[in-house]
Amino acid sequence: MFGKLKEYCVEGAKVYFTYEGSREAGARPCVEVVSESIFNVFIDYAGTGHCTRAIEGELGERLNAGTGGDIAKLESVSQEEAGVIIRTKELTGVVSDGFHVDFYDREGNLLSAAYRGKRKSGAGVSEAALALLAEEGHEISGAADEHKIQELRCLDAGDCIYGLGDKTGFLNKRHYEYEMWNTDNPDPQEDNFKALYKSIPFMMVLREKGAYGIFFDNHNRTFFDLGKENNDYYMFGAEEGNLDYYFIGGKSLKDVVSGYTYLTGRAPMQQMWTLGYHQSRWGYDSEEEIRGIARKMREHGLPCDCIHFDIDYMDHFKVFTWNKERYTDGAKVIADFKEMGIKAVTIIDPGVKLEKDYYVYEEGVKEGYFAKTPEGEIYVNQVWPGDAVYPDFGNPQVRKWWGEKQKFLIDMGVSGVWNDMNEPASFRGPLPDDVVFTDEDKKSTHGQVHNIYGHNMAKATYEGWKKQTNKRPFVITRACYSGSQKYTTAWTGDNHSIWAHIRMAIPQLCNLGMSGMNFVGTDVGGFGSDSTPELFARWMQIGCFSPLFRNHCALGCRMQEPWQFGGEVLAISQKYISLRYELLPYLYDLMRETEQTGIPMMRPLVLEYDRDENVKNRNDEFMLGDRMLIAPVVEQGARERMVYLPEGIWYDYWTGEKVEGGSFLVRKAPLDLCPIYVKAGAVIPKYPVRMCVGEDKDDILILEAYPGEGTYVHYQDNGEDFGYREGAYNEYRLVNRDGKVDVEKIHEGYRDYGKIEIKTAGIKDAEMR
C-alpha cells in the first residue's frame, strides 16, 4: 500500500501524488477534476490508462487519451496539515497519507471519508467452527477476502445505499454484498443472489446531509460489500484492472443521478409506440398461432402496439434467418400486423450456429470475427442452435458487420430487436476466462470483457438500426454495463410467477432507473412458473406504470395472455392497458425529461423526497414522474393496503378525494384497483384511448388539471425520428391556477394538436380550446 505522502504535482485538472513505499512504481495515484461536482480517483495498476467503455463521446475520448478533466472547474490546490486540498466550487477533496481521499461539500460538511482501518468480518466465527460448517455443507463468510484492488469507505449509522442496477432484494442495498459478473441464472432469484444479468457498478449513498455516488469504472469482475462484512465501512474492489472510480457529490439523490448520467450518457427518446402494450411468449411457434394472438387482442378490445417473436421464428435458431416451415411468409405476417397497428420485435442471440454454408457463420469465419481459444482456434460452446460461436463485439469491425446484418430484419418489416443470452450465456459450461476477445484496439480475454459483451452487442445493434432506418432504434437487452442506456432499453430477465418477484419488481426497476437505465420493465405476470389470476391482475397494474410494459412468459408455463384468466381478469387488463394509453403523452414527457436530465420516469419515493425518513426504505410504492404516486398491491389476498403520502396535498385519482400528505392511510384496493394519487396543482396530459399509438396521435390532447397551482412543460413531436434534435417539436407551458390552465406554446416546430381539452379533475364538463 501507499505510505506517507511525499509530494504532489498539478498537470491541468489532474493532481498526481508520490508516496513513500508505493507498491508499484509505475502506478501514480491521481485525482482529477472532471466537473465541479465530480472527481476521478485513479491508479493505473494495469498500465492501460482509463480504457472506459461507459464514458463515451468527447469526455470519453479525453479520458481515454489521458487529457480529460476540466481545468476551468479546478479552483485551487494547496497543501495543508490535513493533506493536499483540491477545491472546486461544489466539492473539496482532501488527499492524505496512504492515498486516502476524503470529500466535503461546498459548506464544508463531510460527504465521504476513506476508512483507514483494516478489513474485519463481523461474523465472529472461529476457524474450527468454519471447518465444521464446511463439513456439513454450509457456506458462511469467515475472514474478509482481500482484493488486489479495493477501496474502503466509512459508513455512518443512518447512511442508505441505492443503485447497482437490477440486483435482487430491496431498494436500500445497505448490509448486502454483490458481484458484478453478468450471470444467466433462471432459478427463482432471492435476496441473497449476488449477481444477475447486468453489471452497473454505480452506487449512491444518502446521508443526513447531502448525497454522493461512486461509479467504479472497472469492467472486470468486481465486488461490492455494502456494510455486510462490517457496519463501519463499505468496500468495492477487483482482482484485475485499475482503481478507477468517480466520486459524484450532490445535495440530493437527483443531483447524483444527473451527475452519473452526465458521465455515462442519458437514455435517448424512444419511438412513441414503444410506450404501448407489448405481448410476448416463448412458444408462439407458428404463423397461425401468432396471427391468432393479434386477432384476439383486437377482438377483446385490448390496445396493443407490439407482438414479440421469440426464438421459434428462426430457422433452427440461426440468427438472421426465418423459419419458412412455421411461418410461410414472415414478411406478410409482419405487414398484416402493421395494418392492424401492431409492430413486430424479434429476438436475437449472439451465438451463431456452427454450420457449413450458413452465411452468417461463413462470413464471420472468413473475416476472423469470432472469439478464439488461446491457441488461435475459433472457440465453440453450445446455445440454442447447438454448437455455436461468439461474435467478438469488442472489435469495431465486428460491430459494424453485426449492425449491417440487421438489414435482414429491417427488410422483413421488423420494428425492433430484443437481444437475449448476451451475458454471454452458454449451455456447456461458462466460457473460460482465457478465451480471446478484442477490446477496441487491443486483444483481451473473456474475463476482462465479459461484463461489456452485452453492452457492445447493444451498441452494434443500435448503430446498425440508426444508420439503416434513420429512426430511433428500439433495442432491448438482458445483459449490459454502465452507459448501455445510450443504446438500449432493458428488462430484468427470467423472473418467475411468484409473489416474491412481483414484490421485487418495484425496487429492481427503481434502482435500474437511478442507475441510468430509464426504459425498463419486468416480464409482466412472470416468465417462469405458472401465474395465478390474482397475481397476473396485480402485475398488470404495475406494468401499466412501468416504462416498458411487456407481458411475457416461458414455453411450458401457463399461457398468460389477458383472456386466459377469465372475464374478471380480462376486464382488469382492459382497464389498465387503456389507462396506459391515456397516459401516453405524460409518459412521453417523462422520457423527454430523462434525455435532458437523466432523472428516470419510474422513481422511488426517496428520489423525490430524500429528506423524508418514511420513504428511505419504501419498497412498495413509486412515483411516475414527480406528479403521480403509485401504490400497487403486492401481497396475495390483500384487498386494502397502507399507503404513505409525502408532505403536501394529494388527490385520489379514482375518487378525487383530497388527502393531506406527510401521513399514512389505509386505502381499500379490490382486485381491480391500484391506488393512485396525484399532487395538487398537477396537470396530467392524456390522450383518448386508442388501439395503438399511431391512431389519431395528434388529434386530441386532454389536460387533466388538479386543484392547486403548478407550472409544467408538455412536449410533442412525430414520435419516430431524430428531427426533434434539429428543432422539429412543440413545447407548451401549462400554468395551472386551481384547475384553470393557461396554455402557451414556447417552442414551435411541429404540427398543432387538432384540439386541446382542459378538464378539472372531478368535473365532467370540459372546456374546449
Side-chain angles (χ1 to χ4, degrees), residues 15-42:
V15 185
Y16 288 97
F17 300 89
T18 303
Y19 287 90
E20 292 178 353
S22 296
R23 64 180 182 181
E24 295 183 33
R28 296 175 68 196
C30 176
V31 175
E32 178 177 5
V33 172
V34 178
S35 75
E36 289 181 341
S37 58
I38 303 175
F39 285 14
N40 175 240
V41 179
F42 184 69

Side-chain angles (χ1 to χ4, degrees), residues 122 215 217 313 322 352 413 419 434 436 445 561 564 693 715 729:
F215 170 39
D217 193 9
Y313 82 90
W322 204 274
V352 174
N419 287 341
D434 63 357
V436 179
T445 65
E561 295 78 23
Q564 302 287 353
V693 162
Y715 175 84
Y729 65 90

Side-chain angles (χ1 to χ4, degrees), residues 70 85 134 231 246 281 364 452 650 684:
D70 193 335
I85 315 297
N231 202 39
Y246 294 83
R281 175 178 169 83
I452 55 172
W650 299 82
I684 306 296

Side-chain angles (χ1 to χ4, degrees), residues 8-17 28 30-35 39-40 62 66-78 84-88:
Y8 73 93
C9 67
V10 181
E11 297 181 9
K14 298 180 179 181
V15 185
Y16 288 97
F17 300 89
R28 296 175 68 196
C30 176
V31 175
E32 178 177 5
V33 172
V34 178
S35 75
F39 285 14
N40 175 240
R62 287 188 297 164
T67 58
D70 193 335
I71 299 173
K73 306 300 183 186
L74 176 57
E75 289 192 343
S76 66
V77 181
S78 62
V84 175
I85 315 297
I86 306 170
R87 289 188 174 88
T88 70

Side-chain angles (χ1 to χ4, degrees), residues 6 44 109 135 151 215 347 431 524 528 584 697:
K6 292 173 62 178
D44 192 4
N109 299 308
E135 288 180 9
E151 175 79 3
F215 170 39
I347 200 168
L431 277 66
V524 169
L584 283 172
K697 181 176 78 69

Side-chain angles (χ1 to χ4, degrees), residues 113 169 173 230 260 341 414 490 581 624:
K173 300 304 183 188
N230 193 288
Y260 170 72
V414 172
Y581 278 73
L624 190 62

Side-chain angles (χ1 to χ4, degrees), residues 549-728:
F549 187 9
R550 183 180 76 159
N551 171 2
H552 180 58
C553 64
L555 180 70
C557 299
R558 177 175 184 170
M559 297 187 76
Q560 56 188 44
E561 295 78 23
W563 53 85
Q564 302 287 353
F565 297 93
E568 182 184 18
V569 174
L570 175 60
I572 291 169
S573 299
Q574 290 168 329
K575 176 179 178 178
Y576 285 92
I577 296 175
S578 295
L579 177 56
R580 171 68 168 217
Y581 278 73
E582 289 184 67
L583 291 171
L584 283 172
Y586 179 55
L587 293 165
Y588 202 61
D589 285 344
L590 296 179
M591 189 184 289
R592 170 69 166 174
E593 181 183 350
T594 298
E595 183 176 70
Q596 293 178 318
T597 68
I599 305 303
M601 301 161 66
M602 181 177 179
R603 309 169 186 178
L605 269 63
V606 72
L607 189 60
E608 286 293 330
Y609 302 95
D610 61 7
R611 296 300 119 193
D612 186 337
E613 290 295 324
N614 289 312
V615 304
K616 291 181 177 179
N617 293 285
R618 192 138 308 275
N619 296 286
D620 61 352
E621 300 178 25
F622 61 92
M623 300 292 296
L624 190 62
D626 64 356
R627 287 170 257 180
M628 298 184 74
L629 184 149
I630 317 298
V633 173
V634 293
E635 298 294 335
Q636 189 273 334
R639 295 299 182 267
E640 62 181 15
R641 63 151 294 167
M642 185 80 77
V643 176
Y644 177 73
L645 296 177
E647 64 180 358
I649 302 297
W650 299 82
Y651 288 87
D652 187 308
Y653 178 82
W654 302 110
T655 68
E657 178 187 1
K658 180 180 176 180
V659 185
E660 183 76 38
S663 61
F664 292 87
L665 61 95
V666 176
R667 177 64 164 93
K668 291 189 180 300
L671 186 59
D672 71 337
L673 191 139
C674 172
I676 305 169
Y677 293 86
V678 183
K679 266 186 177 181
V683 177
I684 306 296
K686 287 185 169 183
Y687 286 155
V689 177
R690 60 208 51 206
M691 288 296 103
C692 63
V693 162
E695 183 181 300
D696 301 326
K697 181 176 78 69
D698 298 313
D699 182 31
I700 298 175
L701 177 70
I702 301 166
L703 300 178
E704 192 168 87
Y706 286 77
E709 295 188 355
T711 301
Y712 305 102
V713 174
H714 170 61
Y715 175 84
Q716 177 196 22
D717 67 17
N718 68 16
E720 293 184 356
D721 58 31
F722 290 95
Y724 71 98
R725 294 184 177 176
E726 305 299 324

